[in-house]
Amino acid sequence: MKTLTRILKNYPLSLLTVLTIVLLSLLPFPEIKMAEDVPLADKWVHMVMYGGLSLMVWIEYLRNGLGFRKDTAILLTLIAPILLGGLMELAQAYLTETRSGDWMDWFADAIGSFICLFIGFGLLKPWLQKKRAHI
């Protein structure tokens, strides 16, 4: 219970993002006609959704100031979002009648998370360390 309370306190926006992704992935929505002039528009949406999730987790992880561990950062900002993407594709394939699982969508999810892994290590972490040094 103590761990759950800590997660809810430290990662509220990340959890809200996860809930949004789950709802968007599983609830039936009217078919949205993607822009035909944008190649792979659906894959770009997946990259942005999961990249946004990874970025939100990065921001909350670094903001919490609980100490930085590289393995924890990779688990929270890369592995967990990729696993969520795979679970959502399986859930779409086997638990819904209006959606289908697409492994290329999962690949796009992973690309978005990988991009944010580099943003986190390359930009966010150094920026926050520099900011804390001035305090």
Side-chain angles (χ1 to χ4, degrees):
M1 187 67 169
K2 186 177 176 182
T3 302
L4 179 61
T5 303
R6 189 179 65 187
I7 291 170
L8 289 171
K9 178 184 167 204
N10 291 334
Y11 296 95
L13 297 176
S14 298
L15 293 171
L16 183 62
T17 304
V18 168
L19 179 63
T20 302
I21 288 172
V22 169
L23 291 175
L24 288 173
S25 297
L26 298 179
L27 292 178
F29 287 98
E31 189 67 30
I32 299 172
K33 185 162 173 62
M34 292 285 182
E36 292 179 13
D37 55 334
V38 178
L40 303 171
D42 176 51
K43 306 312 176 230
W44 285 102
V45 169
H46 279 266
M47 285 177 29
V48 169
M49 276 193 327
Y50 283 84
L53 171 59
S54 293
L55 192 60
M56 183 57 60
V57 174
W58 262 112
I59 290 167
E60 290 187 324
Y61 176 65
L62 293 171
R63 178 196 60 155
N64 288 327
L66 302 173
F68 180 82
R69 291 188 47 174
K70 186 176 182 178
D71 57 339
T72 302
I74 290 171
L75 175 68
L76 292 175
T77 65
L78 178 68
I79 295 171
I82 290 173
L83 289 175
L84 175 66
L87 287 173
M88 288 298 94
E89 293 306 320
L90 289 170
Q92 286 177 340
Y94 297 108
L95 301 177
T96 69
E97 294 178 11
T98 58
R99 301 293 187 111
S100 62
D102 181 354
W103 294 112
M104 290 307 291
D105 287 350
W106 188 42
F107 186 65
D109 301 342
I111 290 172
S113 294
F114 267 109
I115 289 169
C116 283
L117 181 73
F118 295 112
I119 291 171
F121 277 120
L123 297 174
L124 292 176
K125 183 177 175 266
W127 174 77
L128 188 64
Q129 287 174 332
K130 188 176 185 180
K131 185 177 174 182
R132 284 189 179 150
H134 291 338
I135 295 176

